[in-house]
Structure formats: structure tokens, C-alpha cells
């Protein structure tokens, strides 16, 4: 059981003269439960866990991204072995991907939890990362190795034979801390995915199939120092992305300093590119005790392309609690250099900004708001349909408000509104999403979710309505779900439209505690064409 610390007031002053203040909130402990993703829609993610657990509505589900635990979603409804929720913006998940559910457990039996802590996606990323330094326990390093291997098959079939495709995917996730009780640790998250009909593309460029999101070796040089070699995302610089090279960090309990020298992954295939040299340094502050914590980091980066400076910028990341049940996360990038028409100038221009706040009124009602002006996400792997891609592209950036309300134990209601207006767009984009879940309906022990999404953008206007039913069988060793979506999209400026009926079924068999087999089938019917997608996944955890 891991102690999850809450936060109290601290003050940070930096180059940008930012002042942060936070107030104390109550402490609590956490317990983790492992599972996997069994179904993914444009609005919800379904996850199944290894066995009975203490997870409740409002707890957080995590995924491992670039070697770090990143929050995936907050549970909106659950059964004995499964949970469903709406993923936080920016998350990319696939069927069979391993997840970790964290349940709030009181530290002492006689203590009462007055209210659950509010959860923000970026708060949990920072809190879970803490520091990259692994400390000794009892004067010795303890080996801890865990991982996952999966084999997947993805087939897309239609009445237009030219569009048929079959894809194979092998995945390895490994976290090896203090190998053989030493100072060395290693981690990797790697996928090998290819189309059976396009093996020539793999032979031409291995990185057309091989995607290495994390592959690094770490050495703990001292109590507060660490050296990392390989591809890794630094938790103090989460939005900078993965770095191929050498990272060093040292400092004291509260202040950290680090230096980085390496290369950016290639933007076209995520492989290694020696032309994209980058280097930088950062300082970070973190303070915590039994009452809480606050974290901030400020970095300077210089990125080159073929030996010439391509970008020079400052990166700021900060998280804290402002009051009980309120959490704030902020990240931004300020460009210091610009090269336009071969004319180089030093600038001070805000080019990326993200802020999110989450407030939990009580265990039944919580609200979060965010503003996202970060660059678009590049997907090197995705199983999203055209409808889901259009929806995500229109809703990730801009201002977003979300409300979840659980008036009764068996009912959860949610509403999400998004607004975006860019200078390049002739009109604004809006999206409204709502859902109603009936959790574990007595008598049939199934969960029903009704959903509706209305989207209006520069390029598409439309709506999506859906119904999904989830139920466990055979002492929860077999889980199943069936769903239907009605899609009506119109494309302004043209006569074209997209009208679809989508039906889907998902089955997951928990063969053993660490071995699972899942099958997902989706059928899409249009006026003239129909499409079938079949996804099979076998996952072994160790």
C-alpha cells in the first residue's frame, strides 16, 4: 500500500516571477489493482481487473506511457471486476493495454475520509513520478521486475475488397528496478506492428513497424543523483516528450537540477534521428510532508536540425492544491528564437499553454475545467475510426468544462462542453457530450450507458448517439459488452455527408490471473458500403 500525500502551502519564485500558493488538505493512502483495457470508444474506455477490488466511482485508472504512470480516466461506473470512464484529453490507448486502478483506503481503521481528493490528469502524472531517483530501503536496493507481453491481430474488412487489411502487433512493457539488487535499473515500452500486405515497407525502414516509446538504463549514482541513458521522458518535463540520449539529475530533497543532451525522435516514424540534436538544463522544486506537496520545474532547451538551431525555448511546469478538493496544473512553452526567411531573431513568444483545474464538491459531484493551446498530437499508432478521429481533432484544444454527478449509487450523469476558436478558422468549433449510466442494475447485474454527442466545427457538423450494455459472466471470468452508435455527420461546403450505424461486441476471458484473451468485433453500415473490424488480443503479465 502506497501513501498518497495531499498538499499544503508553499512558495516558489523563478525566472518568470511566478508565485504559487496552496493550502493543506487531508492525507490518505492508496492501493493499486492491475488490469487491462477491454474496449475503447470515442468517449469511453472499459477496463477489466485481475480480481475483486476496492475500486469505487471517482477513483483513478492509470496507464504506463514512456515508462511513467499517466492517469487515463476517472471511474464513472464499475462492476466487481470492471470499470468504465471517459479518458482525459491526449490519452492514446489500445485494446489489451495494461492499466492500474488506484483505490483510496483510509490510513487507520478508525479514521474517516471526509471527502475524496480531486483528481487531475496532470496532477497524478506529477505525483506518480515524484522524483526519478530510486532510494534505498533498509540500506539495500531491492529488485522489482514487472512487465507485460501481448500479441494482437487487427483485421479490417469491407465489401470493397481493395480496402481490406490485416495487421499484427507485438508489444513489450518492462520495468526492472534495481536489477540483481544493484544500482542499475532498466525500462522499455516497445511495439512492433505491421500490415501483412506491406512487409516491404518494414524491410525498407524498420521503424515503419517498430515503435520504441521508452528504452533506457538508469544508474543511481548516489542518494540524490541519477544518470539515465537511452530513450526516456523526464517527469519534470512531461510535455517535452521522449529524449534519446543522456540525462543527469542531482540535488537535495527539495531542489533538483538536471542536464540533458540527446536527440529528438524522428517526427515521421519515431525512429532515431542524429540530425535532431537537442540539449538543455532544468531546475525543479518539490516539497512535501504528511500534509501535502507542491512541484514546479523550469527548463531551457535548444533544439537543432542539421546542425542549425531550429528552436530555443523555456518550459514551465507546475502543480499544486489551492484549497481542499481543488487541484491546479499548468504547463507552458515560451519561444526565445525565431528564424524566418533566413533571418534569425531573438523573441519572447508564448507558443504553448495548458492549464487545468478540478474541484470536487463532494463524493457525488465534481467539476473540472481546462484550456488547451498546445500543438496537435501526432499518432504513430491508433485504432480510431474516422468518426472518432474527427471528433478528437475538434475537441482536444480550446476551453473545456466537464461535470460528473452521481445522485444515487446506481446512477451517474456526465456533461462535457468544448469551445475552440483559432485565428485560422472562419468560425468557432463547439462540442457537447453527455451520458447517463445505470450501474449494476439489480436483477440482471449489468451496466447500461446512454450517450449523445453534438459537434459543430469548420469542417464537420453532426451528432453521435449511443447505447452500451456491459455484464460479467462465469464468476466474472468472462466479461462482455454490446453497443450501438448512430452517426450523422455533414460536411459544410460540400454535398457529402456520413451516415453510419455501428454495432459492436466485446468478449474478454480471464484465463488465469495473469493471462487474458479478448475479442472485439465492430460492424459499420453505410448507405452503400459496410465495414467489419475484428481485434484479437492475448496478454501475459509477469
Amino acid at each position: 500500500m502506497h501513501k498518497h500525500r495531499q498538499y499544503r502551502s508553499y512558495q516558489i519564485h523563478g525566472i518568470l516571477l511566478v508565485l504559487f500558493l496552496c493550502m493543506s488538505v487531508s492525507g490518505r493512502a492508496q492501493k493499486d489493482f492491475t488490469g487491462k483495457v477491454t474496449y475503447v470508444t470515442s468517449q469511453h474506455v472499459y477496463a477489466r481487473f485481475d480480481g475483486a477490488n476496492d475500486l469505487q466511482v471517482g477513483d483513478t485508472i492509470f496507464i504506463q506511457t514512456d515508462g511513467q504512470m499517466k492517469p487515463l480516466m476517472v471511474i464513472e461506473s464499475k462492476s466487481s471486476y470492471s470499470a468504465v470512464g471517459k479518458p482525459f484529453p491526449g490519452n492514446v490507448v489500445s485494446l489489451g493495454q495494461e492499466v492500474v486502478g488506484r483505490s483510496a483506503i483510509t490510513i487507520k481503521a478508525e479514521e474517516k475520509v471526509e471527502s475524496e481528493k480531486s483528481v487531475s490528469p496532470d496532477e497524478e502524472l506529477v505525483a506518480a513520478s515524484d522524483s526519478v531517483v530510486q532510494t534505498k530501503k533498509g540500506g539495500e536496493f531491492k529488485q522489482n521486475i514487472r512487465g507485460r507481453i501481448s500479441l494482437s491481430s487487427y483485421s479490417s474488412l469491407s465489401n470493397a475488397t481493395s480496402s481490406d487489411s490485416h495487421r499484427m502487433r507485438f508489444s513489450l512493457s518492462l520495468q526492472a528496478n534495481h536489477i540483481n539488487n544493484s544500482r542499475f535499473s532498466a525500462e522499455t515500452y516497445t511495439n512492433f506492428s505491421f500490415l501483412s500486405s506491406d512487409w516491404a515497407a518494414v524491410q525498407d525502414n524498420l521503424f515503419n513497424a517498430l515503435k520504441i516509446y521508452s528504452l533506457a538504463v538508469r544508474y543511481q549514482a548516489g542518494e540524490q543523483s541519477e544518470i539515465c541513458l537511452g530513450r526516456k521522458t523526464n517527469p519534470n518535463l512531461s510535455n517535452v516528450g521522449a529524449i534519446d540520449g543522456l540525462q543527469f539529475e542531482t540535488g537535495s530533497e527539495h531542489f533538483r537540477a538536471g542536464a540533458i543532451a540527446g536527440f529528438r525522435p524522428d517526427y515521421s516514424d519515431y525512429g532515431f534521428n542524429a540530425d535532431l540534436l537537442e540539449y538543455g538544463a532544468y531546475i525543479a522544486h518539490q516539497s512535501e510532508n504528511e500534509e501535502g506537496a507542491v512541484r514546479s520545474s523550469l527548463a531551457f532547451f535548444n533544439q537543432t536540425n542539421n546542425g542549425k538551431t531550429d528552436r530555443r525555448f523555456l518550459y514551465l511546469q507546475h502543480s499544486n492544491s489551492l484549497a481542499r478538493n481543488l487541484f491546479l496544473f499548468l504547463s507552458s512553452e515560451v519561444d526565445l528564437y525565431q528564424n524566418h526567411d533566413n533571418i534569425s531573431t531573438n523573441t519572447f513568444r508564448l507558443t504553448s499553454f495548458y492549464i487545468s483545474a478540478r474541484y470536487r464538491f463532494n463524493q457525488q459531484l465534481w467539476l473540472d475545467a481546462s484550456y488547451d493551446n498546445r500543438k496537435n498530437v501526432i499518432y504513430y499508432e491508433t485504432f480510431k475510426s474516422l468518426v472518432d478521429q474527427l471528433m478528437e481533432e475538434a475537441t482536444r484544444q480550446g476551453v473545456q468544462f466537464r461535470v460528473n454527478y452521481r445522485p444515487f449509487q446506481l446512477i451517474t450523469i456526465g456533461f462535457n462542453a468544448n469551445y475552440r476558436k483559432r485565428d485560422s478558422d472562419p468560425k468557432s468549433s463547439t462540442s457537447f457530450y453527455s451520458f447517463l449510466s445505470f450501474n449494476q442494475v439489480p436483477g440482471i447485474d449489468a451496466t447500461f450507458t446512454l450517450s449523445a454527442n453534438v459537434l459543430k466545427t469548420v469542417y464537420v457538423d453532426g451528432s453521435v448517439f449511443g447505447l452500451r450494455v456491459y455484464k460479467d459472466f462465469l464468476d466474472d471470468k468472462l466479461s462482455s459488452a454490446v453497443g450501438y452508435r448512430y452517426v450523422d455527420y455533414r460536411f459544410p461546403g460540400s454535398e457529402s455527408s456520413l451516415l453510419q450505424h455501428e454495432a459492436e461486441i466485446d468478449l474478454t476471458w480471464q484465463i488465469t490471473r495473469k493471462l487474458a484473451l479478448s475479442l472485439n468485433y465492430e460492424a459499420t453500415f453505410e448507405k452503400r458500403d459496410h465495414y467489419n473490424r475484428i481485434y484479437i488480443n492475448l496478454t501475459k503479465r509477469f
Side-chain angles (χ1 to χ4, degrees), residues 380-397:
Y380 294 99
E381 289 185 285
T382 181
F383 295 106
K384 295 180 181 295
S385 65
L386 172 62
V387 171
D388 296 337
Q389 292 179 45
L390 291 172
M391 190 177 300
E392 183 173 29
E393 167 65 20
T395 60
R396 189 186 70 81
Q397 294 181 322

Side-chain angles (χ1 to χ4, degrees), residues 200-255:
V202 182
Q203 294 176 312
D204 180 62
N205 180 7
L206 179 63
F207 290 106
N208 283 330
L210 182 64
K211 297 293 182 284
I212 302 175
Y213 300 107
S214 172
L215 180 60
V217 177
R218 305 189 309 274
Y219 176 74
Q220 187 168 325
E223 291 288 339
Q224 297 291 339
S225 300
E226 181 178 273
I227 301 172
C228 177
L229 179 63
R231 174 170 291 186
K232 181 176 173 60
T233 298
N234 192 306
N236 288 304
L237 313 167
S238 58
N239 283 341
V240 173
I243 300 165
D244 294 340
L246 185 66
Q247 302 185 42
F248 173 74
E249 181 174 300
T250 188
S252 62
E253 180 182 359
H254 299 301
F255 289 94

Side-chain angles (χ1 to χ4, degrees), residues 61-80:
I61 306 298
F62 295 81
I63 55 173
Q64 187 179 56
T65 302
D66 296 326
Q68 304 296 329
M69 296 305 295
K70 181 179 180 180
L72 169 65
M73 65 183 182
V74 172
I75 296 176
E76 295 175 353
S77 63
K78 73 173 294 292
S79 64
S80 300

